[in-house]
Amino acid sequence: MSGTGITRRHLLFGLAGIGIGGAAFGLLGRATRAPAPAPWVPRGLAEDDGWLLPPEERAAFEAADALVESDVFALRDAVDLPGGDLEALRVRSLSECVAACEADGRCEAFTYARASHPQPEKRRICWLKSEAAEREIAGAPDYVSGRRGGWGPD
Amino acid sequence: MAYISLSETGLDPYDVVVAGAGLAAYALSDRLSAAGRRVLILETGFETYDPEVQARFTRMEARGHFSSTYWPRHWVRAFGGTSAVWAGYCLPLSERNFRDWPIGRADLDPHYATAARLLRRPLPFLAYSAPFLRGFTYRPMSLEPPLNLAAEPELVTDLTGVDIALGATLAGLTPATDRRSVRGATIHLAGPGERRDFPLASRQRLVLAAGGIGNAQILLNSTDGSSAAVGNAADRVGRHLMEHPHAYDCGRIVAGEDLVLPDLPEGFGFPLPSVEPDTALFGELGGHDVALDLVDSALAPEDPVERFVAERIGANARAFTLTARTEMPADPENRVTLTEGRDPSGMRRVRASCAIPTEALRAIEHCLEALSGSLGAAGAARLRIVNAEIYRNATGGGHIMGTTRMGSDPRDSVVDADCRVHGYENLFVAGSSVFASGGYANPTLTLMALAARLGETLGRAA
Ligand SMILES: Cc1cc2nc3c(=O)[nH]c(=O)nc-3n(C[C@H](O)[C@H](O)[C@H](O)COP(=O)(O)OP(=O)(O)OC[C@H]3O[C@@H](n4cnc5c(N)ncnc54)[C@H](O)[C@@H]3O)c2cc1C
């Protein structure tokens, strides 16, 4: 994440403002396709899916989206890797996505969409990629991506 | 041949004149015919549906949750009326749904059987219900093929003593000087394209069966401008307009095989599985009735939560989609009024203003919450509430009720317990416009029961 000074907006929005503003600046810094979202829109808030689950079930469901470690891939949270898709799999968890890429010799990288993704059809989809695009979209908390050979210099 | 030309016969030969040729008129005429009465049905439309007639007669204004095309799409102007498009869901109102009525379920029970027979339904659905989970009663609807009078006109035209004038629109009523009866009817005839006044003798009865909008439109137009319209001395005509708010696909259930719907009695016919709150939960919901339809549905693995829930339940997991129908309290500000412009019969056009109150939608939400709790307590099952389908996308069911409501107090209603317009000895209303409170059940079975009851009353009268 590129460092940013404390601005008046951060002071106005408090701690949340720093997180929000930081995400937005990270995005701007990488000159990506998507326009920067308005800094006052909170990021990473999931729409209530409406399922009435007991708390322990809800926790078990959400745990499948938590960041995991891998010996093979360097994982980055809140990063989307566009392009280079081999296949889109419907999976139950991030670790299932990691394992699928690991098991596929052609798979150099992957992007996983969390269940919090605003577009229902993308929730818990795992994109296996033959080559990872150089461009990455950071500040996208609904995604986790991984590369086989690490990420190179920022 | 039951079709007549009004210019040739006039109204004189008939004991009862009915405005509108829909299912209300059918049930009414069936009973009058059985009692040996001579009936004339006036119908705006023709044997086949004509979109021009539909457009010119039903154009109106609307505000609220129902647009200006909503009401015309649910009020067909042709022989058979709205029976051409209805879906055929049938269920009687239960005792608690008669809350605001001067009559109760027992008054209608024999007539419910008549209505069910006319609609070709096996009878068990009229009385069946079974406890189901904590807080709920299983009360499926009867879902036989909908009777379409336009496709089977002989059901009406073969009735002994029943004649029909097509292209004839009742455009106004003339009260007697003492305002205790109607002594004339203004009828627009499509053939010559003109309005004619026909006298009515005091022995002759007139029944409005023109649909929930049409009945109010006729009464509101029945004034020469110098005094209140017929039946509207208390300014109640057109008020208390109600619909049944429907929230389609507002929930999902994923359950194991231990969720079993109760067995239906022999010969029930085709059911729509549906549950309603039991007495205790009904009270907790503030007296708003709600039905939740449980429709079998394929599992949706594309929803990761549903997949997660289904996999925990196991290989036998199955899904239901839930649709809610609810009750809308009668509000005098939800109403039909007259507006600028005239329809081809010369009647002033109408404007509907109708908003779904929040409490009706909350009742759906609370009912779903309660069902979720009961399912969870009973076994492996989980429920999803689709918020937007309740609070954003709720719409009506084409059930137009309340505009000439029944009551014992003429200051707060339009017709009495016999469907007679307060004060007028020969003027009656048939249709869901007389409903004083609407419950959640689709209205046609009940409006036909009321019309059959009215037919028997008028058949007995000298
Ligand atoms: C899409 C849809 C689905 C539905 N599904 C169901 C369902 O599943 N279950 C259920 O119970 N109900 C259902 N309904 C409602 C049902 O169709 C109506 O309750 C029922 O048909 C009303 O019957 P009616 O005879 O009172 O009025 P209508 O059938 O509307 O008949 C009124 C007749 O009067 C004529 N008319 C109007 N004004 C005049 C006038 N001034 N002079 C002469 N004639 C006039 C009209 O041309 C019409 O033929 C549905 C409605 C729609 C639109």
Side-chain angles (χ1 to χ4, degrees):
Chain A
M1 192 67 58
S2 52
T4 50
I6 300 289
T7 66
R8 208 175 92 80
R9 179 176 292 126
H10 293 144
L11 295 175
L12 280 176
F13 283 85
L15 256 188
I18 294 181
I20 293 162
F25 281 111
L27 222 149
L28 281 174
R30 286 172 211 283
T32 53
R33 301 168 299 180
W40 55 83
V41 177
R43 306 200 44 123
L45 285 189
E47 194 73 53
D48 175 1
D49 58 47
W51 282 99
L52 304 175
L53 302 185
E56 64 284 1
E57 258 171 58
R58 176 59 71 183
F61 174 75
E62 286 178 358
D65 282 341
L67 208 56
V68 294
E69 304 265 304
S70 163
D71 298 338
V72 183
F73 300 97
L75 267 66
R76 280 201 172 172
D77 198 358
V79 168
D80 180 16
L81 287 176
D85 290 349
L86 282 168
E87 211 178 336
L89 306 174
R90 192 175 295 292
V91 296
R92 293 169 185 77
S93 62
L94 173 57
S95 42
E96 203 179 313
C97 185
V98 171
C101 190
E102 220 174 289
D104 187 331
R106 303 165 302 162
C107 185
E108 285 300 316
F110 67 84
T111 293
Y112 169 78
R114 292 187 157 109
S116 56
H117 197 288
Q119 288 163 267
E121 68 279 7
K122 293 196 173 160
R123 292 178 186 156
R124 293 203 172 158
I125 296 289
C126 169
W127 289 272
L128 304 185
K129 294 167 186 287
S130 57
E131 56 184 51
E134 285 307 310
R135 287 176 314 144
E136 58 181 86
I137 300 177
D142 297 316
Y143 292 102
V144 179
S145 294
R147 285 182 195 265
R148 226 178 247 275
W151 291 79
D154 259 324
Chain B
M1 185 58 184
Y3 295 111
I4 58 106
S5 159
L6 201 50
S7 358
E8 284 158 27
T9 61
L11 298 182
D12 216 39
Y14 301 101
D15 301 313
V16 180
V17 177
V18 184
L23 289 169
Y26 174 41
L28 176 78
S29 308
D30 178 79
R31 298 292 75 210
L32 288 167
S33 169
R37 300 287 155 185
R38 297 226 49 201
V39 178
L40 176 66
I41 300 175
L42 310 171
E43 168 55 51
T44 296
F46 299 91
E47 277 180 285
T48 49
Y49 174 77
D50 179 343
E52 288 282 311
V53 170
Q54 180 72 19
R56 287 191 286 126
F57 276 90
T58 62
R59 208 179 80 212
M60 59 187 282
E61 297 171 13
R63 293 283 188 277
H65 288 115
F66 304 96
S67 76
S68 61
T69 58
Y70 179 85
W71 306 103
R73 274 193 276 114
H74 295 91
W75 179 30
V76 176
R77 302 295 289 264
F79 178 86
T82 314
S83 78
V85 297
W86 78 308
Y89 292 32
C90 285
L91 192 71
L93 296 178
S94 50
E95 184 59 40
R96 68 192 186 200
N97 301 140
F98 288 91
R99 185 186 53 219
D100 298 348
W101 301 54
I103 61 173
R105 169 70 189 262
D107 295 299
L108 282 191
D109 265 332
H111 311 290
Y112 270 130
T114 306
R117 175 177 60 75
L118 292 174
L119 292 171
R120 302 179 179 136
R121 309 277 158 149
L123 299 184
F125 80 98
L126 291 173
Y128 173 79
S129 72
F132 175 71
L133 297 173
R134 174 168 42 80
F136 291 88
T137 304
Y138 184 58
R139 216 171 147 239
M141 292 202 155
S142 156
L143 208 51
E144 305 302 316
L147 184 72
N148 176 358
L149 290 177
E152 298 184 68
E154 63 282 0
L155 291 175
V156 182
T157 57
D158 285 356
L159 291 173
T160 308
V162 176
D163 287 342
I164 296 146
L166 296 172
T169 299
L170 179 60
L173 305 168
T174 311
T177 342
D178 63 5
R179 293 198 148 246
R180 296 180 63 174
S181 64
V182 168
R183 63 165 179 79
T186 303
I187 299 172
H188 176 265
L189 302 174
E194 63 185 31
R195 283 157 66 102
R196 286 204 198 149
D197 292 328
F198 294 87
L200 273 174
S202 58
R203 66 170 172 86
Q204 291 178 297
R205 308 277 182 259
L206 202 143
V207 182
L208 308 182
I213 302 286
N215 292 342
Q217 185 187 25
I218 294 167
L219 287 178
L220 290 171
N221 271 282
S222 295
T223 171
D224 60 8
S226 66
S227 53
V230 170
N232 201 29
D235 183 24
R236 296 290 97 179
V237 174
R239 293 186 183 271
H240 305 106
L241 174 61
M242 296 180 283
E243 250 287 359
H244 286 134
H246 282 52
Y248 292 96
D249 302 342
C250 65
R252 297 271 296 169
I253 291 175
V254 174
E257 48 190 348
D258 49 344
L259 180 70
V260 189
L261 299 174
D263 282 335
L264 291 174
E266 196 69 30
F268 185 95
F270 193 50
L272 174 70
S274 189
V275 300
E276 64 177 31
D278 69 8
T279 309
L281 180 58
F282 179 67
E284 283 168 38
L285 295 175
H288 280 87
D289 220 341
V290 180
L292 299 174
D293 304 338
L294 278 64
V295 179
D296 269 313
S297 157
L299 283 168
E302 63 277 13
D303 173 354
V305 191
E306 183 158 326
R307 183 182 187 187
F308 170 84
V309 167
E311 287 179 355
R312 281 172 85 99
I313 288 174
N316 294 313
R318 58 201 187 113
F320 299 91
T321 289
L322 302 175
T323 284
R325 271 167 286 119
T326 185
E327 174 165 10
M328 201 168 125
D331 173 355
E333 297 311 315
N334 281 332
R335 64 186 296 205
V336 169
T337 49
L338 295 184
T339 184
E340 298 309 310
R342 292 181 185 273
D343 76 5
S345 80
M347 274 195 285
R348 279 178 59 196
R349 294 191 183 279
V350 293
R351 171 194 160 106
S353 172
C354 190
I356 300 174
T358 320
E359 62 233 73
L361 304 179
R362 285 233 164 83
I364 297 177
E365 184 201 335
H366 292 163
C367 213
L368 287 167
E369 293 262 0
L371 185 60
S372 170
S374 301
L375 282 167
R382 297 287 176 257
L383 185 143
R384 175 184 184 212
I385 295 179
V386 188
N387 186 59
E389 298 306 332
I390 305 172
Y391 285 104
R392 287 197 169 276
N393 298 336
T395 181
H399 307 163
I400 309 173
M401 301 172 288
T403 53
T404 64
R405 80 191 308 234
M406 182 190 285
S408 34
D409 184 352
R411 288 167 305 181
D412 196 39
S413 56
V414 178
V415 303
D416 67 14
D418 295 323
C419 297
R420 183 195 304 260
V421 174
H422 287 302
Y424 287 82
E425 60 194 32
N426 63 343
L427 180 60
F428 300 81
V429 181
S432 45
S433 61
V434 307
F435 289 18
S437 47
Y440 67 73
N442 304 40
T444 306
L445 182 81
T446 300
L447 74 85
M448 288 180 74
L450 284 160
R453 174 171 169 267
L454 175 60
E456 295 199 355
T457 313
L458 297 183
R460 277 193 302 271

